[in-house]
Amino acid sequence: MSEPRHIRSLGIERPGHPFFFSYDEGPPGEGQVRLETLFTGFSAGTELTFLKNTNPYLHARWDGGRGVFVAGEPAQRFPVPFLGYMECARVTESRAEGFAPGDVVATTYAHKTGHTADPFHDLLVTLPPGMDPLLGIWVAQMGPIAANGILHADAELLGPVVPSLGAGLAGRPALVIGAGIVGFLTALFARRAGAAEVVIADPSPFRRLRAESLGLTAMTEEQAWQHAKARWHSGGERGAEVVFQTRADSASLHAAMRALRPQGTVIDLAFYQGGADRLRLGEEFHHNGLGLRCAQISRVPRGLGTLWDRRRLAQETVALLLERGAELRAQLVTHIVPFDEAPAFLRHLVADRPEFLQVVFRVAG
């Protein structure tokens, strides 16, 4: 039986002030595994909303029974002791079948030096031998989010029978709005599925250059919707059948709608914490009879849940990373920061706004 240990967690003490919290954790119980964090990935789109005090949970409460937010009843208050959901860790002690000390697993539990997990309730994905453990940060959450977007497109195009991830995109062009991590992974899943052409659109020249280095066609949003209308057409209708929207900006969502053919669908993977005040629903959305489908990790398309759960989407992510992991690390991981320096780095990120894609905190190993 191991001894209790001290855990440090990166959180937000008050708006604009990242801080380390700490607590003591006892030995693992029956059916549990003790994990030592190797790498933890920073998800800027979500986590900066806590740092900037814009996250909806800081101002409202989610009523799960009714499926609505209740304003004026904050679900979370400062200090926020835990952030993050992109971890790769080493098993140091196991009292659960199927896991042994030394195993490297991908999971989600926040920016902490360690964690005790219950494999019966928590998603733990053992990484294949030889796989770069840093890539594990994408396996349990970000990769499945992107894969779920692809699965939603499959359901739109094929209905309730999806033989393989991306089967609906094979031979069809695909447009992804937003060159963040989810956008890149979505575009690469589409390429892996055999899409005829994969275009990724982003206003940042820095991100477009990274996209081109990965073999993707990169454009601005204005160029992308015009490209779709000029080049993609069949049966007298112009535009994309589906567009993946991953950028949390209402103007980007409007650009996605402009790229669609009549009765096409936006597969939306963005988190609009600031609302969508520039969205124009009286224009293309109205005149072309368009669809807008939110695709998030908690819900696969209706009717597909028995075959396509989160673990299967994680395994699809592992397969993609085994094929292209070295390229993705080289092009998308822009900062590897020692865990001790994380609070200072986050303050720098907000104050100086450097170009970045994936920030990784190195904890151990």
Side-chain angles (χ1 to χ4, degrees):
M1 179 72 69
S2 60
E3 297 294 322
R5 63 176 177 173
H6 191 69
I7 301 294
R8 288 193 302 152
S9 169
L10 177 65
I12 309 297
E13 185 179 32
R14 61 188 188 276
H17 291 267
F19 190 76
F20 281 124
F21 297 83
S22 62
Y23 62 94
D24 291 325
E25 180 185 81
E30 187 65 33
Q32 296 182 326
V33 295
R34 173 175 275 192
L35 303 175
E36 175 190 45
T37 308
L38 300 175
F39 300 99
T40 175
F42 181 71
S43 178
T46 298
E47 296 179 55
L48 287 180
T49 65
F50 286 99
L51 194 61
K52 297 176 180 180
N53 196 24
T54 60
N55 191 281
Y57 286 98
L58 294 170
H59 308 283
R61 172 179 61 84
W62 173 248
D63 182 337
R66 295 185 293 166
V68 297
F69 276 95
V70 180
E73 300 181 15
Q76 288 188 280
R77 300 178 186 273
F78 292 105
V80 177
F82 303 109
L83 294 172
Y85 43 74
M86 302 166 60
E87 283 66 55
C88 183
R90 180 184 294 112
V91 176
T92 59
E93 184 176 349
S94 175
R95 300 186 65 190
E97 186 176 350
F99 297 91
D103 287 349
V104 176
V105 300
T107 185
T108 61
Y109 56 73
H111 304 307
K112 303 193 296 181
T113 54
H115 181 68
T116 296
D118 181 348
F120 185 77
H121 299 288
D122 304 324
L123 177 63
L124 298 180
V125 180
T126 303
L127 300 186
M131 181 173 170
D132 184 346
L134 184 145
L135 301 175
I137 64 168
W138 291 323
V139 168
Q141 184 81 356
M142 299 300 267
I145 287 173
N148 195 30
I150 298 291
L151 189 63
H152 274 77
D154 289 335
E156 290 287 332
L157 297 167
L158 300 178
V161 178
V162 179
S164 60
L165 187 69
L169 296 177
R172 291 183 166 101
L175 170 60
V176 179
I177 304 289
I181 297 303
V182 170
F184 274 112
L185 292 175
T186 301
L188 292 172
F189 274 126
R191 169 64 60 81
R192 185 169 183 263
E197 181 181 10
V198 181
V199 173
I200 189 166
D202 197 278
S204 166
F206 169 82
R207 297 189 175 203
R208 294 200 301 271
L209 180 60
R210 301 285 172 138
E212 290 168 356
S213 297
L214 289 170
L216 302 169
T217 301
M219 301 181 182
T220 66
E221 293 174 3
E222 179 75 13
Q223 291 170 332
W225 77 256
Q226 294 205 34
H227 178 85
K229 289 298 175 79
R231 300 288 297 275
W232 302 344
H233 50 87
S234 64
E237 295 181 335
R238 294 181 174 271
E241 292 179 86
V242 293
V243 174
F244 301 94
Q245 153 60 357
T246 73
R247 192 164 180 264
D249 185 283
S250 55
S252 298
L253 176 54
H254 185 61
M257 290 184 174
R258 300 192 85 180
L260 288 170
R261 65 187 298 179
Q263 297 184 305
T265 302
V266 173
I267 306 297
D268 203 315
L269 294 147
F271 173 30
Y272 301 90
Q273 69 271 11
D277 57 307
R278 290 186 291 173
L279 181 60
R280 310 286 293 182
L281 293 180
E283 298 178 6
E284 289 80 12
F285 179 78
H286 176 81
H287 288 80
N288 287 331
L290 304 179
L292 175 60
R293 170 67 66 183
C294 177
Q296 276 297 337
I297 187 60
S298 60
R299 289 184 174 87
V300 299
R302 192 181 299 275
L304 295 180
T306 56
L307 295 176
W308 290 94
D309 60 7
R310 186 173 169 188
R311 181 172 295 277
R312 183 172 179 182
L313 297 177
Q315 292 298 343
E316 293 284 349
T317 304
V318 169
L320 175 65
L321 294 174
L322 286 174
E323 291 177 8
R324 306 200 61 176
E327 299 171 81
L328 291 177
R329 175 165 180 162
Q331 297 300 330
L332 303 188
V333 179
T334 53
H335 299 79
I336 301 177
V337 180
F339 192 58
D340 288 347
E341 299 174 16
F345 182 83
L346 293 188
R347 289 192 291 269
H348 159 65
L349 204 62
V350 172
D352 302 325
R353 301 178 64 84
E355 293 277 17
F356 71 96
L357 274 166
Q358 180 65 69
V359 176
V360 179
F361 300 128
R362 184 181 67 248
V363 184

